[in-house]
């Protein structure tokens, strides 16, 4: 069973702090990794994707991938209350099957 | 990014009736679309993979005769919940791949009375 594991949280951080969200995956054949944000009652929206080992930065967001450790993370700098949401990690194998984690709830305190 | 349109956004129906939900890829062609269901405070659950021009592939435990999927064109997939019952009330979300990135529709909230 191919899995993507996330801590369900909630992860609570103060406004302005760095939020660190983590994810591990079981399928070594996974090639593409994604972070989605889902607000309550809404559908997921893509934040970032990463294919190669290392860091990828986009504004306040940084995705980190370590294929040897089968580990993906998302850092959110200068966290804002509007970042409060559930963050879904996803991994895709060579085909188009995407496996989603259960999500981590993030709460940014004003 | 690519746009996936889902309609309706909210539907209320009586028990025993059928409800059709549409999912369209607006600016790209999607040979494969996905249908998910999400209950409150729970994670996304993949129901089925919709394949253009062929039968959908259903996940284990999903009744294919109850959740009818049609993917007749490269931009449209429909999910019909037949003989809906209150336990079918949920948030249904479709998605489509552009390349290997999955984009989601806005979701349909179904309430069965």
């Amino acid at each position: 069973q191919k899995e993507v594991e996330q801590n369900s949280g909630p992860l609570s951080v103060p406004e302005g702090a760095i939020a660190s969200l983590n994810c591990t995956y079981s399928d070594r054949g996974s090639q593409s990794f994604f972070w989605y944000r889902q607000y309550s009652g809404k559908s997921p929206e893509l934040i970032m994707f990463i294919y190669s080992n290392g860091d990828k930065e986009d504004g306040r967001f940084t995705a980190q991938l370590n294929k040897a450790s089968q580990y993906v993370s998302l850092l959110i700098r200068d966290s804002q209350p509007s970042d409060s949401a559930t963050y879904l990690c996803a991994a895709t194998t060579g085909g188009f099957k995407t496996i989603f984690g259960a999500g981590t709830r993030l709460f940014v305190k004003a | 990014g690519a746009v996936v349109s889902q309609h309706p956004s909210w539907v209320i129906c009586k028990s025993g009736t059928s409800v059709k939900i549409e999912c369209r890829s607006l600016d790209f062609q999607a040979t494969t679309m996905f249908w998910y269901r999400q209950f409150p405070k729970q994670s996304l659950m993949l129901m089925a993979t919709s394949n253009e021009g062929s039968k959908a592939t259903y996940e284990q435990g999903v009744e294919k005769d109850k959740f009818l999927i049609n993917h007749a064109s490269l931009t449209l997939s429909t999910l019909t919940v037949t003989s809906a019952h209150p336990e079918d009330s949920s948030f249904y979300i479709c998605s489509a791949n552009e390349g290997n990135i999955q984009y989601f529709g806005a979701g349909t909230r179904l309430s069965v009375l």
Side-chain angles (χ1 to χ4, degrees):
Chain A
Q1 180 78 1
K2 298 172 184 175
E3 294 181 342
V4 173
E5 301 283 347
Q6 295 181 255
N7 188 318
S8 63
L11 172 66
S12 184
V13 300
E15 184 175 359
I18 296 176
S20 178
L21 303 163
N22 305 314
C23 169
T24 58
Y25 60 95
S26 63
D27 183 8
R28 283 198 173 274
S30 298
Q31 298 177 358
S32 308
F33 304 88
F34 305 87
W35 284 99
Y36 290 84
R37 177 176 61 199
Q38 186 176 23
Y39 291 112
S40 180
K42 303 293 186 182
S43 67
E45 56 179 322
L46 180 69
I47 297 177
M48 290 192 71
F49 58 88
I50 186 167
Y51 305 143
S52 304
N53 275 328
D55 295 359
K56 179 180 179 183
E57 187 174 316
D58 184 1
R60 295 187 296 115
F61 300 98
T62 299
Q64 299 175 317
L65 173 60
N66 184 324
K67 289 187 177 180
S69 301
Q70 296 177 242
Y71 177 89
V72 193
S73 67
L74 178 70
L75 300 178
I76 306 175
R77 288 180 298 282
D78 188 24
S79 296
Q80 301 297 309
S82 58
D83 294 326
S84 298
T86 296
Y87 289 80
L88 304 174
C89 174
T92 302
T93 59
F96 284 147
K97 184 111 181 201
T98 301
I99 308 296
F100 285 87
T104 298
R105 286 182 294 142
L106 172 66
F107 179 60
V108 181
K109 297 176 291 184
Chain B
V3 178
V4 176
S5 174
Q6 187 172 343
H7 178 80
S9 57
W10 199 353
V11 59
I12 300 174
C13 70
K14 293 182 179 179
S15 185
T17 60
S18 295
V19 173
K20 179 185 282 189
I21 303 170
E22 292 187 350
C23 182
R24 296 180 184 271
S25 56
L26 294 188
D27 49 0
F28 66 103
Q29 294 183 331
T31 55
T32 304
M33 293 185 175
F34 304 91
W35 288 96
Y36 294 85
R37 180 167 55 182
Q38 188 174 39
F39 293 105
K41 300 190 186 301
Q42 295 188 22
S43 59
L44 289 173
M45 289 185 57
L46 179 65
M47 299 175 66
T49 301
S50 172
N51 305 299
E52 187 268 336
S54 65
K55 291 182 180 180
T57 305
Y58 290 83
E59 296 299 302
Q60 192 172 9
V62 178
E63 300 173 59
K64 60 181 180 182
D65 295 330
K66 180 171 183 63
F67 299 100
L68 301 179
I69 291 173
N70 184 285
H71 194 153
S73 78
L74 286 171
T75 59
L76 173 64
S77 175
T78 61
L79 169 68
T80 301
V81 183
T82 62
S83 186
H85 289 94
E87 58 266 30
D88 298 322
S89 298
S90 187
F91 190 43
Y92 292 85
I93 311 172
C94 74
S95 69
N97 276 359
E98 184 184 41
N100 65 342
I101 299 177
Q102 199 166 138
Y103 293 95
F104 288 87
T108 297
R109 191 160 304 282
L110 171 63
S111 295
V112 184
L113 304 178

